Amino acid sequence: MFLLGRIRLVTAQQFYQPGYLSRLTQELTDYYPQVIGIMTGHLHYDWTQSLRVGYQHELPVIGVPSVSPFFGNQPSFKVYHYVPAVARIDDIYT
């Protein structure tokens, strides 16, 4: 489930066939310490949610806006600042 604060915008089930969702869930469970976030561009607008992995962990899921105004949005792109020493994204600029 993808959460924005405590408001659910969408669920992963809306984007994946059951077999692929099961595989994604297993991969994230197995490799959670190495995954710092998920970046997606399918929705064509700027958004951020959390994906719950297991019962204790949450990963940021970051929507990347479209570079085209075709869907009525402002064309844009994102720049991520990654800090290798702590293995996390420190800041995001849109």
Side-chain angles (χ1 to χ4, degrees), residues 1-92:
M1 172 185 336
F2 297 102
L3 302 170
L4 177 59
R6 296 199 184 276
I7 301 170
R8 184 180 72 183
L9 293 178
V10 295
T11 64
Q13 290 87 351
Q14 292 173 291
F15 295 105
Y16 293 98
Q17 294 178 5
Y20 295 131
L21 179 60
S22 175
R23 175 74 187 263
L24 173 65
T25 302
Q26 188 60 51
E27 294 285 334
L28 290 175
T29 301
D30 292 346
Y31 298 103
Y32 174 77
Q34 292 83 22
V35 179
I36 62 165
I38 299 171
M39 293 142 199
T40 180
H42 181 80
L43 296 178
H44 304 281
Y45 60 91
D46 192 12
W47 58 278
T48 304
Q49 295 182 326
S50 294
L51 175 63
R52 192 171 311 246
V53 178
Y55 295 102
Q56 300 174 351
H57 307 292
E58 290 187 3
L59 286 172
V61 180
I62 304 163
V64 179
S66 176
V67 296
S68 167
F70 183 75
F71 292 98
N73 62 331
Q74 294 290 329
S76 58
F77 61 93
K78 288 188 176 233
V79 176
Y80 300 87
H81 183 251
Y82 175 73
V83 182
V86 292
R88 70 182 176 122
I89 297 171
D90 184 63
D91 209 349
I92 303 170

